[in-house]
């Protein structure tokens, strides 16, 4: 059996996900080449989604260079959802970076550095390479434990014995401490399909084999896979995904380590030097030219774009013309307003020369039927059971006040229903929480009514 050379591998921090306002958006709702009124989590906004679908076609045709997208419309009309839908349509692994314009005024680094990092986080590189690996279904796994070097009362894994099986072969592997620790950290168990890189010792959990352990569970969170074919120990093409920012940070740290060895001092710079990014760009171009990688332009979505200042707009104007640039999508709910940093008024607070470069998509207010359907979708997404009268009342609130306000009442209404030992949210629950939380319109009326009592 071949020996496995191991390097210490730090597992990446798993993305922490929660149910958000747009977690139900799966795409633009295109069925058989046509935008459906209700599909992929979208309700209505057919005209805007048709425009977005056309943008996706232009991007895939490679004819979107030097352009950007601006989504304009009243608050709560699905501008962010539209941007997410565009990213979903471009591909499952398309990077999506959501940036609020106000963020650039509260960072410790220069605005240009912050924006450059955001741009490069939104560009991905898919690298393909052939590696010697061990791959198969875990038939059994036994860990060997020893005493902690600094605490004799704690046991730590010092190795493991793993039995891997494919459709053609079965092997028993003895693996060292570094690999055993990864197996525990990844929660590897019987029936999982794993791959171990022979050179680095990196463990990749690919999913769970079809038919393994199905008698134990009704719900699975792991991807179902066929049992791997061929030998356990083989050469296989591996696909890895990085953003350009990931590569920038890695290259910067490598240079920092070299400086530490030469001069005895390691300093991590807050800003990434231009020569580091140039080196990464050259590596990316070389990888793509050799056919070993594929560049994946993602989406940089800037919300509340009217808050960007004139310097930032100048940066984005130049960035659109860069050779490696993501798809830039801006959104705003403002009309005629001043360009921040100037006394000049312009549509949406955007300089006219840049506005002329943008493809503008408009969203419209939702009607009553659309509000009802959206509230219903959000309730299902958040696990809130609504009675018919509660759904009707929330629909009325959404039409008279705002859709966001109606959706915000879902969770407190559910909590109130549980306190009353009920699973279903009724109209009484919604009325109760509505008295506690004001809508925007009610808040304005309250201020006007007691204006003399407020501080000027």
């Amino acid at each position: 059996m071949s020996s496995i050379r191991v390097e210490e591998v730090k597992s990446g921090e798993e993305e922490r996900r929660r149910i958000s306002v747009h977690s139900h958006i799966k795409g633009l709702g295109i069925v058989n080449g046509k935008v459906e009124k209700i599909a992929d989590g979208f309700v209505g906004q057919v005209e805007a989604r048709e425009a977005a679908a056309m943008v996706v076609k232009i991007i895939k045709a490679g004819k979107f260079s030097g352009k950007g997208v601006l989504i304009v419309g009243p608050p709560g009309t699905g501008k962010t959802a539209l941007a997410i839908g565009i990213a979903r349509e471009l591909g499952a692994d398309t990077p999506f970076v959501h940036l609020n314009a106000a963020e650039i005024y509260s960072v410790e680094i220069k605005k240009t550095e912050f924006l450059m990092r955001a741009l490069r986080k939104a560009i991905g590189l898919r690298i393909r390479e052939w590696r010697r690996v061990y791959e198969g279904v875990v038939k059994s796994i036994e860990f060997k434990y020893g005493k902690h070097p600094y605490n004799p009362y704690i046991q730590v894994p010092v190795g493991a014995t793993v039995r891997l099986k494919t459709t053609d072969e079965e092997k028993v592997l003895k693996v060292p401490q570094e690999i055993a620790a990864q197996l525990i950290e990844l929660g590897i168990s019987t029936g999982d399909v794993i791959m171990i890189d022979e050179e680095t010792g990196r463990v990749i959990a690919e999913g769970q084999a079809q038919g393994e352990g199905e008698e134990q569970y009704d719900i699975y969170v792991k991807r179902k896979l066929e049992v791997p074919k061929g030998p356990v120990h083989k050469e296989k093409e591996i696909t890895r995904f990085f953003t350009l920012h990931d590569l920038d940070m890695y290259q910067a740290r490598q240079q920092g380590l070299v400086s530490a060895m030469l001069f005895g001092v390691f300093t991590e710079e807050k800003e990434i030097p231009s020569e580091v990014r140039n080196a990464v760009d050259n590596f990316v171009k070389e990888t793509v030219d050799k056919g070993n990688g594929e560049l994946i332009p993602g989406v940089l979505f800037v919300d509340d774009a009217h808050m960007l200042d004139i310097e930032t707009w100048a940066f984005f104007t130049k960035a659109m013309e860069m050779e490696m640039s993501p798809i830039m999508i801006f959104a705003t709910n403002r009309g005629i307003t001043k360009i921040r940093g100037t006394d000049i008024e312009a549509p949406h607070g955007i300089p006219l020369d840049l506005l002329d470069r943008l493809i503008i998509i408009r969203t419209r207010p939702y009607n009553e039927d659309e509000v009802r359907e959206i509230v219903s979708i959000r309730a299902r997404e958040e696990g809130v059971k609504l009675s018919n009268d509660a759904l009707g009342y929330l629909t009325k609130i959404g039409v008279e006040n705002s859709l966001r306000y109606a959706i915000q009442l879902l969770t407190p209404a559910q909590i109130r229903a549980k306190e009353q030992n009920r699973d279903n949210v009724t109209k009484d629950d919604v009325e109760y929480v509505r008295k506690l939380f004001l809508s925007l319109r009610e808040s304005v009326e309250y201020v006007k009514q007691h204006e003399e009592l407020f501080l000027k």
Side-chain angles (χ1 to χ4, degrees), residues 62-325:
K63 298 181 179 180
F64 203 75
S65 177
K67 301 183 182 72
V69 178
L70 174 64
I71 305 174
V72 298
T77 53
K79 295 185 291 295
T80 302
L82 206 60
I84 293 173
I86 291 173
R88 297 284 188 270
E89 292 292 342
L90 290 173
D93 56 355
T94 299
F96 182 82
V97 177
H98 186 168
L99 176 66
N100 189 287
E103 292 180 47
I104 67 173
Y105 305 113
S106 59
V107 293
E108 296 180 356
I109 56 179
K110 289 193 301 187
K111 284 190 294 186
T112 51
E113 174 68 15
F114 176 78
L115 294 169
M116 182 60 74
R117 291 189 182 192
L119 286 173
R120 294 179 70 87
K121 285 177 182 178
I123 304 174
L125 178 66
R126 187 188 292 123
I127 298 178
R128 297 181 296 272
E129 56 182 342
W130 287 91
R131 310 283 292 186
R132 297 293 298 179
V133 299
Y134 293 88
E135 182 185 40
V137 180
V138 177
K139 301 302 294 183
S140 65
I141 182 169
E142 295 180 5
F143 294 98
K144 181 180 179 182
Y145 291 90
K147 291 183 178 180
H148 193 283
Y150 308 116
N151 190 337
Y153 301 105
I154 298 177
Q155 286 191 327
V156 293
V158 295
T161 301
V162 184
R163 184 184 297 274
L164 293 182
K165 182 181 179 181
T166 65
T167 56
D168 304 315
E169 188 182 23
E170 187 171 322
K171 275 185 179 291
V172 178
L173 307 176
K174 289 185 178 180
V175 299
Q177 179 180 5
E178 292 83 357
I179 294 179
Q182 291 181 74
L183 294 172
I184 293 174
E185 186 174 356
L186 293 172
I188 302 300
S189 59
T190 302
D192 288 343
V193 179
I194 66 170
M195 184 164 54
I196 304 174
D197 190 308
E198 181 183 43
E199 182 179 348
T200 65
R202 180 171 178 250
V203 179
I204 301 172
E206 299 183 284
Q208 190 172 61
Q210 292 280 3
E212 297 288 340
E214 289 191 4
E215 71 282 358
Q216 300 177 26
Y217 305 105
D218 295 318
I219 299 175
Y220 292 91
V221 296
K222 295 180 180 178
R223 186 163 58 112
K224 285 294 186 179
L225 302 171
E226 297 290 335
V227 176
K229 300 177 181 179
V232 172
H233 187 210
K234 56 195 170 189
E235 191 172 16
K236 183 175 179 178
E237 187 180 42
I238 305 299
T239 301
R240 293 188 290 169
F241 182 86
F242 305 92
T243 67
L244 296 196
H245 178 68
D246 295 334
L247 299 176
D248 290 343
M249 296 300 291
Y250 176 79
Q251 181 72 12
R253 290 192 184 104
Q254 291 295 104
Q255 289 196 6
L257 290 173
V258 171
S259 299
M261 288 186 290
L262 292 176
F263 305 108
V265 178
F266 176 77
T267 57
E268 187 168 351
E269 299 184 42
K270 286 187 177 181
E271 298 188 9
I272 299 174
S274 58
E275 57 267 22
V276 169
R277 290 198 171 103
N278 291 335
V280 169
D281 290 346
N282 291 333
F283 166 76
V284 170
K285 292 176 183 177
E286 182 180 347
T287 302
V288 173
D289 291 342
K290 289 182 177 179
N292 298 327
E294 179 184 358
L295 199 65
I296 307 173
V299 172
L300 173 60
F301 175 60
V302 183
D303 204 0
D304 292 330
H306 53 271
M307 296 189 67
L308 297 176
D309 60 18
I310 189 67
E311 295 173 351
T312 307
W313 286 121
F315 176 91
F316 280 127
T317 301
K318 181 181 178 181
M320 286 181 189
E321 299 174 348
M322 292 168 54
E323 187 176 12
M324 287 189 285
S325 176

Side-chain angles (χ1 to χ4, degrees), residues 332-373:
T332 179
N333 55 24
R334 297 295 174 91
I336 304 296
T337 186
K338 284 185 179 180
I339 302 171
R340 187 171 177 135
T342 73
D343 292 325
I344 303 171
E345 289 192 340
H348 319 298
I350 301 175
L352 294 179
D353 56 340
L354 177 60
L355 193 61
D356 195 41
R357 289 172 173 261
L358 302 178
I359 294 176
I360 304 175
I361 300 175
R362 63 184 174 188
T363 57
R364 302 179 186 274
Y366 293 107
N367 60 39
E368 183 176 345
D369 291 339
E370 291 169 344
V371 170
R372 176 185 292 273
E373 189 62 34

